Each structure stands twice: as C-alpha cells, then as structure tokens.
Amino acid sequence: MIDWNTTHAAIWRQRQAYLRPVRQTDPIRLDQLLGIDSQKQQLIANTERFLANKPANNALLWGARGTGKSSLVKALLNTYKDRGLRIIEVDKQDLLYLPEIVDSIREHDQRFIIYCDDLSFESGDSLYKPLKSVLEGSIELPPDNVLFYATSNRRHLLPEHMRDNLETQLVDGEVHYSDTIEEKISLSDRFGLRLAFYPQQTQAYLEIVDSYFVDFNGDRETLHKAALDFAHQNAAKNGRSAKQFFNAYCQIQRE
C-alpha cells in the first residue's frame, strides 16, 4: 500500500499488477521549458483549477516529437506536489487496468493525474475502450480527484486513412463523417483540453540551447552554428535536440 502523503508519483507494473512508488523523479522545472508559453499557461491553469476542486479537463498534448510535451507534465508535479498533486504513469498496454487503478485512489485526499506518454492506437486496437470509460465514466461517474493527461504525436490518437475520408458524405449541407472517423474523433473529443505542439523555429531552438549554456564563455556564434549543425543531423530543432547537443558538447570538452 502506497503512502501518498510521502509518495508523489508511481508507475503501474503490469506483470506484478501493482503501483511502484517513484523515489527519484525528473527534476525538470516549468521555467526551464522555453518556446511553449501558451501551452504551458493553459495546462497550468487547468491543473490549478483541478487542485482547487474546480471543474477541469482531461488533457491531450499532441504534436511534434521533442517539443516538451512530457517534460511539461513532469514539471507540473515538481511545482504542485506540495499542494497535493500526484502522478501515476501508465503505459498504453496498461490501459486495461485503468478501472482498478482509479478504484485504488478515488477515496484519497490527494489529486491524481494519470499520465500516459506517447499514446496512440493502431487499427483494430481495442485498448482505448477502458480509457473512454475512465474519461467520461460508465454507470459510475469518474472520481473528481482524478484527471487523465496524455501525450501523442497524433491529434486523434488513431490512424487516419484516405478510405475513411472517402466514406464521408455531405448531406443537405451537413458533413456526415464515416463511422470510422466518428470513432476516432469521439476518442480525442473526450479530452476537453487539446494542446498542439509544433516544431520550434530556429530562434526558439537557439534560446533553448542558450538556457543550457548559461556559463559558456566562448564564442556564442560558433556555439550556435554547432548547435544548428547538430539539429540538422538529427532532423529536429527542438528541446530534446538542444539537450542532446549540450550533452554531446560537454562530452567533447571532457575528452
């Protein structure tokens, strides 16, 4: 049994069917996340309403890889853990156990975010059905101390195919989506807050790089060129590439 007064986060372990307390959480802070101010403020506002026992929405953070989606969720825990926020991380394969996980925490005083990173489903995948039940409830309403936050590269979580769009019809001026598209949209619609994350522009990427090199005394222009070369090699100008460049640069300096 987890003591949620002293445990701030846990991870579901499917094989042993239990929540494992996390002893060392990622120390990322909200002020370290650059270039996503709008998304950050919206998720902060939603989370603060949740902590104040006011109406709040389940959140889907979708978009380009490495743009700070998962880091933003982790930073929320570091900011609000002293106000009773707790996070339970689940894998997509663990969604089957969501009802049991929710039952185990619904009577606690703390406020829980169930978090799933890189959430998406393939055609024929039925794992999203327990998620629908937790998001909106079944015969029993969802507990008011639980929200679900997910990150994904897909806006609608399920794959989109051209044939699905071909089955969509326009009847009397109204769009009637195919059953397949309706199913896909209905899942993402259960997230009342949907935040889009786009690839960062060059200037935003360099600002993130600079945030890692606060004490750098060399030529900043040369550093920026090296950072851009690194990003081009990785085909991504984002926060993840900036951190990887910092790690690589530090390694070179030690050798």
Side-chain angles (χ1 to χ4, degrees):
M1 182 70 67
I2 292 180
D3 181 0
W4 289 110
N5 292 313
T6 58
T7 299
H8 301 138
I11 299 175
W12 177 258
R13 293 305 191 203
Q14 183 184 117
R15 291 184 62 183
Q16 295 177 308
Y18 87 115
L19 286 170
R20 181 181 68 79
V22 175
R23 301 304 180 193
Q24 292 182 305
T25 57
D26 188 325
I28 187 73
R29 303 187 314 273
L30 288 171
D31 60 9
Q32 293 177 281
L33 301 175
L34 306 178
I36 53 170
D37 290 346
S38 175
Q39 299 93 324
K40 188 194 305 185
Q41 291 306 316
Q42 289 182 71
L43 196 62
I44 287 174
N46 189 69
T47 305
E48 289 187 343
R49 287 196 300 271
F50 175 55
L51 291 172
N53 201 24
K54 297 178 179 179
N57 284 312
N58 300 299
L60 174 63
L61 287 62
W62 69 273
R65 67 187 191 279
T67 49
K69 300 185 296 294
S70 60
S71 292
L72 181 51
V73 177
K74 296 172 187 175
L76 289 174
L77 176 62
N78 295 322
T79 301
Y80 297 110
K81 61 187 178 183
D82 293 335
R83 289 177 53 182
L85 183 65
R86 302 293 183 260
I87 288 185
I88 295 174
E89 183 174 357
V90 299
D91 187 80
K92 185 189 80 170
Q93 302 302 321
D94 302 333
L95 295 179
L96 181 66
Y97 302 93
L98 272 182
E100 286 82 0
I101 295 172
V102 170
D103 283 346
S104 72
I105 59 177
R106 66 168 59 240
E107 302 300 330
H108 287 278
D109 294 332
Q110 291 81 10
R111 314 290 286 177
F112 293 87
I113 290 176
I114 298 179
Y115 163 59
C116 187
D117 190 26
D118 198 20
L119 180 63
S120 63
F121 303 97
E122 300 306 321
S123 298
D125 199 336
S126 62
L127 283 172
Y128 65 88
K129 293 182 179 179
L131 175 58
K132 280 187 174 182
S133 177
V134 168
L135 292 179
E136 290 197 347
S138 52
I139 192 171
E140 182 179 35
L141 288 173
D144 62 7
N145 70 329
V146 177
L147 282 183
F148 191 89
Y149 284 6
T151 67
S152 179
N153 293 330
R154 293 175 178 169
R155 181 178 184 180
H156 294 308
L157 299 177
L158 290 156
E160 300 182 53
H161 303 290
M162 179 61 70
R163 64 177 180 272
D164 299 336
N165 292 302
L166 292 176
E167 295 171 1
T168 297
Q169 298 178 346
L170 185 67
V171 179
D172 295 331
E174 293 186 358
V175 176
H176 290 257
Y177 294 107
S178 69
D179 291 342
T180 304
I181 289 183
E182 287 285 1
E183 182 78 358
K184 294 172 180 176
I185 294 176
S186 71
L187 179 57
S188 61
D189 277 353
R190 282 168 167 78
F191 292 90
L193 179 61
R194 297 184 290 277
L195 301 175
F197 289 71
Y198 299 103
Q200 271 124 2
Q201 300 298 315
T202 298
Q203 185 57 40
Y205 168 68
L206 293 177
E207 288 176 0
I208 298 172
V209 169
D210 286 340
S211 72
Y212 284 105
F213 288 87
V214 176
D215 300 323
F216 180 74
N217 295 319
D219 181 62
R220 188 70 60 168
E221 185 175 341
T222 301
L223 178 70
H224 285 176
K225 183 180 184 307
L228 289 172
D229 289 342
F230 185 89
H232 293 153
Q233 291 172 9
N234 290 274
K237 287 183 288 188
N238 54 41
R240 182 177 299 157
S241 289
K243 183 175 182 179
Q244 290 171 346
F245 169 70
F246 174 74
N247 293 338
Y249 187 91
C250 291
Q251 180 65 34
I252 292 173
Q253 296 305 305
R254 286 194 296 265
E255 292 176 352

